């Protein structure tokens, strides 16, 4: 959910009217009554009332683009938006090839929250962080539930049980939360990342950092994100990881590069290094996966190793996913609404990278689908 009773109250305090589709918050644990008490006006999601609300809105707070796969119900609403209305959400700018064309056609403004800059001013609005945090936590719980042994070290009358060994690939927000959660459950944790800055964060959580390959052609980072690793580097990295995988009970993979396919860090052959009963949770499965054979929202058995393709784990903790997402949106709106007016300043460093279009004028031509050679020639 893109609004909770708490954020409705915040937005009302800024002088906004908030309209909310009836029962939209139910699956996240928020009842219509709570929204109404906070000052929202509720409307039926279909029919003339809905069309009227969509057509009058200045801002639409969404989780995904209305009408996109998984959010089809609101397709008509999106079509009804008036020119210059602002759409705020996770709009999948790298994957939705019709998005820019649609924004231009309807002369809409749109902010893709995936593209918010990672600057300190934007921290309270950082939806990628709030959702990745949930994914990292839940990945460890899924692994613990699927694993054939304890996580913590236990002293029992029948002897000592050694702690589980967990390897985390990628020490971004999800990876670091996975480390913290696995440590809380008592596991021994090792972590691989290509950004040198990750070492200190990993060690401060009580885990061991696996050094990346020392090669001239090293991905490094730009704006806090890893660059895409080349084939030579990835091969060297896989060789470095092999002995650690051979000892692991659980592997949580979170390695990603924005706008690019996820690096393949565990090949089919490397899966054979893991012991039968070991569990891999691949959080990068939506970007092609870090582990060979992982499938989105499916659990597969590869010669006794359980591979869980964890596509959208925040959706499995909808109450907190919504609470944090809605707070992120409210924090952004509080910056965009000044003296009761919606003001979009494309020059603001906060908006510059994520304002896809301003009243229908496209600001991110680089996100248009690449034209084929034939089309260019035509
Ligand atoms: P992400 O989801 O893009 O990627 C996850 C991790 O995968 C990253 O740590 C990345 O370095 C790593 N990775 C990429 N290729 C890899 C490979 N071949 N092998 C191993 N690891 C690989 O990252 P994210 O969670 O969005 O975080 C990216 C960075 O942004 C982090 O440094 C994070 O601390 C930082 N951050 C900053 C702010 C802020 O300042 N406001 C907010 C959130 C995150």
């Amino acid at each position: 959910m893109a609004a909770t009773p708490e954020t409705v109250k915040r937005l009302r305090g800024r002088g906004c009217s908030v309209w909310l589709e009836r029962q939209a918050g139910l699956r996240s644990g928020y009842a219509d009554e709570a929204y109404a008490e906070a000052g929202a006006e509720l409307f039926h999601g279909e029919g003339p009332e809905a069309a009227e609300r969509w057509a009058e809105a200045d801002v639409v707070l969404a989780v995904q683009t209305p009408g996109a796969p998984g959010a089809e119900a609101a397709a008509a609403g999106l079509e009804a938006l008036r020119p210059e209305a602002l759409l705020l959400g996770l709009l999948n700018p790298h994957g939705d090839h019709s998005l820019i064309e649609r924004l231009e056609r309807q002369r809409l403004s749109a902010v893709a929250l995936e593209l918010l800059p990672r600057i300190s001013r934007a921290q309270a609005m950082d939806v990628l962080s709030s959702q990745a945090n949930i994914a990292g936590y839940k990945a460890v719980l899924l692994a613990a539930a699927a694993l054939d042994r304890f996580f913590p070290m236990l002293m029992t009358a029948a002897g000592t049980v050694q702690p589980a060994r967990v390897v985390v690939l990628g020490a971004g927000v999800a990876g670091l939360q996975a480390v913290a959660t696995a440590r809380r459950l008592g596991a021994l944790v090792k972590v691989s990342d290509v950004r040198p800055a990750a070492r200190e964060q990993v060690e401060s959580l009580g885990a061991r950092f696996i050094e990346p390959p020392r090669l001239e052609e090293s991905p490094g980072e730009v704006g806090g994100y890893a660059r895409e690793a080349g084939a030579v580097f990835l091969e060297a990295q896989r060789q470095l990881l092999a002995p650690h995988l051979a000892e692991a009970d659980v592997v949580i993979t979170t390695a990603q590069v924005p706008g690019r396919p996820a690096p393949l860090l565990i090949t089919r052959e490397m899966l054979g290094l893991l012991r039968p009963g070991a569990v891999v949770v691949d959080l990068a499965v939506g970007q092609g996966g870090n582990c060979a054979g992982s499938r989105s929202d499916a659990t597969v058995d590869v010669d006794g190793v359980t591979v869980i393709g964890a596509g959208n784990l925040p959706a499995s903790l909808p109450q907190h996913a919504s609470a944090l997402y809605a707070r992120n949106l409210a924090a952004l709106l509080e910056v965009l609404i000044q003296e009761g007016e919606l003001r979009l300043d494309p020059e603001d460093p906060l908006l510059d990278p994520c304002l896809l279009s301003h009243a229908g004028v496209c600001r991110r031509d680089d996100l248009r689908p690449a034209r084929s050679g034939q089309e260019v020639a035509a």
Side-chain angles (χ1 to χ4, degrees):
M1 264 305 280
T4 59
E6 175 195 313
T7 65
V8 167
K9 220 179 261 176
R10 266 169 78 171
L11 296 174
R12 294 281 296 135
R14 289 283 172 141
C16 303
S17 303
V18 183
W19 299 324
L20 195 101
E21 198 179 314
R22 277 184 197 281
Q23 303 209 328
L26 266 194
R27 286 200 301 181
S28 305
Y30 303 104
D32 281 357
E33 294 72 27
Y35 283 109
E37 217 168 278
E41 293 173 48
L42 299 158
F43 65 93
H44 287 287
E46 282 169 15
E49 195 192 2
E52 213 173 287
R53 292 305 190 211
W54 280 89
E56 285 176 7
D58 297 310
V59 181
V60 175
L61 305 182
V63 177
Q64 295 171 283
T65 309
E72 290 89 350
L78 180 62
E79 285 298 326
L81 282 181
R82 61 169 186 75
E84 300 194 24
L86 169 67
L87 183 60
L88 279 185
L90 285 163
L91 305 182
N92 187 17
H94 292 291
D96 182 350
H97 295 313
S98 62
L99 181 64
I100 297 284
E101 184 271 326
R102 181 195 303 216
L103 298 172
E104 285 177 329
R105 176 169 53 80
Q106 288 189 244
R107 288 194 285 134
L108 299 176
S109 297
V111 168
L113 297 168
E114 296 93 329
L115 302 180
L116 268 176
R118 247 81 195 264
I119 53 178
S120 45
R121 217 177 122 217
Q123 262 175 6
M125 309 158 196
D126 190 339
V127 298
L128 290 186
S129 290
S130 59
Q131 304 304 300
N133 214 356
I134 294 175
Y137 162 80
K138 190 65 186 277
V140 174
L141 299 192
L142 285 184
L147 192 64
D148 55 2
R149 49 163 295 153
F150 286 115
F151 257 50
M153 183 174 89
L154 293 179
M155 312 285 226
T156 79
T160 303
V161 169
Q162 293 304 321
R165 291 170 187 272
V166 175
V167 172
V168 177
L169 304 181
V173 179
L176 291 176
Q177 183 54 256
V179 174
T181 307
R183 294 283 301 138
R184 273 183 218 121
L185 286 178
L188 294 175
V189 185
K190 293 180 187 173
V191 186
S192 164
D193 201 300
V194 291
R195 290 180 301 107
R199 167 194 279 281
E200 200 185 317
Q201 292 165 320
V202 163
E203 289 177 348
S204 72
L205 291 171
R208 210 183 114 190
F209 190 62
I210 304 171
E211 281 293 337
R214 289 181 188 277
L215 293 181
E216 258 176 45
E217 176 241 284
S218 180
E221 64 179 272
V222 56
Y225 288 110
R227 287 181 206 270
E228 193 174 20
V232 174
F233 182 92
L234 270 182
E235 186 44 42
Q237 193 186 2
R238 286 192 286 259
Q239 282 183 21
L240 266 176
L241 290 176
H244 301 288
L245 297 183
E247 290 177 355
D249 298 300
V250 167
V251 185
I252 311 277
T253 74
T254 75
Q256 295 195 47
V257 179
R260 304 294 308 152
L264 182 66
L265 298 176
I266 308 176
T267 61
R268 176 70 184 76
E269 197 186 10
M270 288 164 80
L271 267 182
L273 297 169
L274 286 152
R275 70 165 178 85
V279 179
V280 179
V281 181
D282 189 352
L283 290 185
V285 67
Q287 277 63 49
N290 294 140
C291 178
S294 69
R295 282 195 282 120
S296 225
D297 304 321
T299 299
V300 289
D301 183 304
V302 183
D303 299 334
V305 176
T306 302
V307 180
I308 302 174
N312 186 8
L313 288 185
S316 69
L317 261 71
Q319 211 215 18
H320 268 151
S322 301
L324 298 176
Y325 184 76
R327 280 186 197 163
N328 293 144
L329 288 185
L332 176 58
L333 266 184
E334 282 168 355
V335 170
L336 302 183
I337 295 172
Q338 289 165 13
E339 292 155 23
E341 296 271 316
L342 180 67
R343 292 204 189 133
L344 295 179
D345 174 8
E347 306 288 312
D348 184 337
L350 182 75
L351 278 187
D352 182 34
C354 58
L355 185 63
L356 298 182
S357 80
H358 190 199
V361 178
C362 172
R363 301 188 62 262
R364 291 292 308 260
D365 273 321
D366 57 312
L367 292 170
R368 285 181 200 279
R371 292 183 175 197
S372 69
Q374 228 177 352
E375 281 174 316
V376 171

